Amino acid sequence: MTFVNKEFLKALKSFDIPTCLRVCAGTDGSVTFLLEIMTRKDVSVVTEAQHLVQADEETASLLDIAVGSDVNYRLVTLLAGDQPFVRALSLSPIERMPDDIRQDLMRADIPIGKILRNSGIETRRDFDNIEITEDEPLFDSSKALSRSYRIVHDNSTLMWINEKFPVDERWNL
C-alpha cells in the first residue's frame, strides 16, 4: 500500500507559485509551525465557524462513516501577525475523536497541528488533491491554491481538511 499521491506532487511541482507557498502546500506536517518559522511571527487561529453537523452522503463517504453521524465542522483563518495566510475547513467524525483531542478541538482557537502534537497520537496525512482556482477570491487575492487531505490515525480518517492559500506576494518571505 502506498500513501504518496504522485499526482498531487506532480501538480504542486507544476504550479508557478512562490517557494514558501509551495513548501506550505506540500508539507505533510503542520502548516502553522511552518508559517511561524517562515514569518518569524506568532500564528493565531481565528474561528469563523464551528458546530456539529450530521453527515450527509458526501460527508459520510469522505470520512467513511454512517450517514447521520455527528461531525465537527470547523472553519478557521490562520494569521501570522495580523496578515491572513490560510483558510482551513476541517470535518472531524466525533465518534473517532479521542477525548483530549475532542475537547481541544471544541475550544476552537487551537491549531490542529498543535492539538495532535499535544495529544501524542501517531497520525499521517494522506493528500487527496490540489489545484489553483481563480474564481474564488481569498484575502484580497484573485488566485488561490486549494489542497485537501486526510489526517489518518489507526488507518481511519480522523479529519478531512481543505486548506486555501492566497497566491500572491505575501509568500515572498
Side-chain angles (χ1 to χ4, degrees):
M1 182 184 273
T2 179
F3 300 111
V4 176
N5 182 331
K6 289 184 172 74
E7 291 304 311
F8 181 96
L9 185 57
K10 182 179 175 185
L12 180 58
K13 287 179 177 180
S14 74
F15 297 150
D16 183 20
I17 57 176
T19 299
C20 287
L21 174 54
R22 186 181 319 284
V23 169
C24 281
T27 187
D28 61 358
S30 170
V31 169
T32 305
F33 188 67
L34 284 176
L35 276 176
E36 288 190 347
I37 292 168
M38 291 177 180
T39 63
R40 295 182 283 182
K41 296 179 181 173
D42 288 337
V43 171
S44 58
V45 177
V46 175
T47 303
E48 311 289 338
Q50 178 163 321
H51 50 271
L52 288 180
V53 297
Q54 271 63 56
D56 58 15
E57 285 190 29
E58 182 182 353
T59 302
S61 173
L62 202 58
L63 299 171
D64 194 26
I65 57 176
V67 171
S69 297
D70 285 339
V71 173
N72 187 65
Y73 174 102
R74 183 181 194 223
L75 181 65
V76 302
T77 297
L78 300 181
L79 296 101
D82 59 0
Q83 181 157 41
F85 276 84
V86 184
R87 173 140 309 130
L89 167 66
S90 64
L91 301 173
S92 310
I94 295 300
E95 65 199 42
R96 291 203 188 119
M97 290 283 125
D99 287 340
D100 57 336
I101 292 177
R102 183 178 326 140
Q103 289 170 6
D104 283 349
L105 195 63
M106 299 300 190
R107 285 196 194 114
D109 295 337
I110 305 172
I112 286 175
K114 202 170 277 187
I115 292 171
L116 293 173
R117 195 167 40 255
N118 291 344
S119 77
I121 68 168
E122 290 188 27
T123 61
R124 71 171 189 269
R125 286 169 168 85
D126 289 351
F127 296 123
D128 288 337
N129 60 46
I130 189 166
E131 64 183 345
I132 291 185
T133 60
E134 296 189 39
D135 55 350
E136 299 175 40
L138 180 65
F139 311 137
D140 298 323
S141 176
S142 60
K143 284 183 9 178
L145 185 149
S146 174
R147 76 172 189 161
S148 61
Y149 59 94
R150 299 162 204 275
I151 294 179
V152 178
H153 171 66
D154 282 342
N155 290 318
S156 294
T157 300
L158 192 61
M159 298 174 191
W160 176 88
I161 298 175
N162 173 257
E163 293 169 332
K164 293 184 179 181
F165 307 81
V167 178
D168 61 17
E169 66 284 340
R170 80 187 70 209
W171 295 97
N172 296 332
L173 301 167

